[in-house]
Amino acid sequence: LTNVFICIAIGGGVGASVLTSQYLGGRDYGSMKTSAYTALTSFFAVSVVLAVFGVSASPAIMVWLRTPANIFAEAVLYLRIYFVGLPFLFMYNVLASVFNALGKSKIPLYFLIFSSILNVIMDLFMVMVMHMGVAGVALATIIAQGISAVISFFVLVRYLKGQPEQGVLFDGEMLGRMVKIALPSILQQSIVSIGMLLVQSVVNGFGSAALAGYSAGSRIESICVVPMIATGNAVATFTAQNIGAGKMERVKEGYRASYGIVAGFSVIIAVIVALLNGPIITSFLGDGMSREAYGAGTGYLSFIAYFFVFIGMKACTDGVLRGSGDVLVFTIANLVNLTIRVYAAFHFAPIWGVAAVWYAVPMGWIANYAISFSRYLAGKWRDKKVI
């Protein structure tokens, strides 16, 4: 569920980054600053509204997800604490998108490393020293992301003040253009995560052991797709900057180069998973895991590892469409992806068991890529400049 709200934050960051990147490419530094400030103020307000809603609706959401009774109370507790820290999560992700748009991708990397290390240290302290259990894990996440978000904000403000030309703190017209780009991306990313929630509700029906194995496999999958998604995000920023500068051929060159990057990553990941599938799942589940949980985790991971190249090509193609502001078709493509995954999970789970959930994943990825790539070949994205 938390991925839904992360995706909303990332989608908002997409709207900000496309606009900011195109202004940077066109050397309009005043509008670039205004774009960054407008994004931060607007999405902070949205995050506060969502946080209030989430704290009050957490129990109902867990019921809707058919959360097993033996973990229900802890799930609600974790979720409520998570929602309290949602504004920090939003600012953390939007700030990272703005830094990437400015070509300063090392800055969010450093803050991410700092936040991750601090999160781990706080996890260990809260759980092993303070004995706070699930609540401690949630608090550790909030504290780590909160500190990183606040420091990132001051670093960004200082950087922008050092740039030529003046900007304003808020521009309603610019927000409208930002929302026009962000909404389809938010819709696409959040609906896909909602679809994954629906799929998880199918897994929940097979019991907590199957859920544990699937969750472990999904966690590992989320790590494995990071290079693919990151490459796609880089393509989006690269595309926006070069469109702003009027260099369309460089967009094509960057897109072709991204295929080599994701292909290399997919081979490395497939080899690692093939050799270390069992130990990786065991490290997530522990030695006391059931045979059912182990089988679900290893089954999912060993199957999906050979298909990561498709999500990589999909992410890169979507990156070109996002960076140019051509967001409608890639949104439709991702909704097709979602539809295939949800339909297959619900329709075939009674026949194939829990394995139906992961059989549908590459089908969705391939369909998504085919639609987005067709749009790229059509060349309509060239005419979608948003500034």
Side-chain angles (χ1 to χ4, degrees):
L1 178 65
T2 57
N3 284 340
V4 175
F5 296 93
I6 292 173
C7 286
I8 294 174
I10 292 173
V14 167
S17 65
V18 169
L19 216 60
T20 303
S21 293
Q22 291 195 7
Y23 283 127
L24 176 64
R27 300 184 184 278
D28 185 351
Y29 297 107
S31 296
M32 179 191 77
K33 290 182 178 181
T34 300
S35 173
Y37 291 142
T38 299
L40 292 173
T41 54
S42 302
F43 288 105
F44 179 76
V46 170
S47 70
V48 172
V49 173
L50 289 175
V52 173
F53 163 77
V55 169
S56 60
S58 292
I61 293 172
M62 289 295 96
V63 170
W64 174 66
L65 287 175
R66 298 164 59 190
T67 304
N70 60 327
I71 60 173
F72 184 88
E74 289 186 330
V76 170
L77 176 62
Y78 180 93
L79 198 57
R80 278 181 162 162
I81 297 173
Y82 179 89
F83 275 119
V84 169
L86 193 65
F88 292 124
L89 171 72
F90 260 64
M91 298 310 293
Y92 181 81
N93 282 278
V94 173
L95 283 162
S97 295
V98 172
F99 276 122
N100 288 333
L102 297 172
K104 301 295 180 180
S105 58
K106 289 183 180 180
I107 294 176
L109 171 63
Y110 296 150
F111 281 116
L112 178 62
I113 293 171
F114 166 76
S115 175
S116 299
I117 293 174
L118 180 60
N119 198 346
V120 171
I121 294 172
M122 293 294 295
D123 276 339
L124 295 173
F125 177 76
M126 294 286 191
V127 175
M128 300 178 68
V129 178
M130 301 297 292
H131 305 290
M132 295 180 66
V134 168
V137 174
L139 284 171
T141 300
I142 290 176
I143 293 170
Q145 290 186 339
I147 293 174
S148 292
V150 171
I151 299 175
S152 296
F153 173 76
F154 285 110
V155 171
L156 177 64
V157 169
R158 182 178 179 181
Y159 173 80
L160 291 176
K161 285 183 176 179
Q163 299 303 306
E165 302 182 27
Q166 294 296 316
V168 297
L169 293 179
F170 183 83
D171 185 310
E173 182 182 353
M174 192 174 290
L175 175 62
R177 279 181 282 164
M178 199 177 294
V179 168
K180 185 178 179 181
I181 301 170
L183 273 181
S185 185
I186 291 172
L187 178 67
Q188 172 257 314
Q189 297 204 49
S190 60
I191 286 183
V192 167
S193 288
I194 290 171
M196 294 176 70
L197 281 178
L198 294 173
V199 169
Q200 183 172 320
S201 72
V202 174
V203 179
N204 288 349
F206 288 92
S208 57
L211 173 61
Y214 172 75
S215 296
S218 295
R219 288 281 185 176
I220 298 164
E221 177 196 341
S222 68
I223 296 171
C224 293
V225 301
V226 164
M228 314 304 179
I229 303 302
T231 304
N233 290 339
V235 170
T237 300
F238 183 84
T239 298
Q241 289 178 353
N242 281 281
I243 286 179
K247 299 179 179 179
M248 293 295 184
E249 286 306 312
R250 277 179 58 82
V251 174
K252 291 185 176 181
E253 292 173 9
Y255 177 61
R256 288 193 293 267
S258 70
Y259 270 45
I261 296 172
V262 298
F265 276 126
S266 64
V267 170
I268 293 171
I269 291 169
V271 170
I272 292 174
V273 171
L275 296 176
L276 301 174
N277 186 0
I280 292 174
I281 290 294
T282 302
S283 69
F284 273 77
L285 295 177
D287 294 330
M289 63 187 168
S290 68
R291 180 176 298 179
E292 183 181 359
Y294 180 80
T298 54
Y300 179 63
L301 193 59
S302 61
F303 176 80
I304 203 66
Y306 299 102
F307 296 94
F308 287 132
V309 67
F310 290 106
I311 193 173
M313 294 189 297
K314 160 195 130 44
C316 294
T317 309
D318 285 351
V320 173
L321 302 183
R322 281 166 40 202
S324 65
D326 189 9
V327 292
L328 178 60
V329 173
F330 100 85
T331 301
I332 293 172
N334 280 275
L335 292 178
V336 170
N337 179 0
L338 164 68
T339 302
I340 291 173
R341 294 180 70 166
V342 173
Y343 175 81
F346 278 89
H347 185 73
F348 294 111
I351 304 171
W352 298 337
V354 71
V357 171
W358 51 82
Y359 293 159
V361 173
M363 295 166 55
W365 288 346
I366 293 169
N368 188 332
Y369 169 65
I371 296 171
S372 294
F373 186 63
S374 297
R375 180 67 172 182
Y376 171 81
L377 291 178
K380 298 295 181 70
W381 53 273
R382 291 169 169 265
D383 307 318
K384 295 290 184 177
K385 186 176 179 180
V386 294
I387 62 173

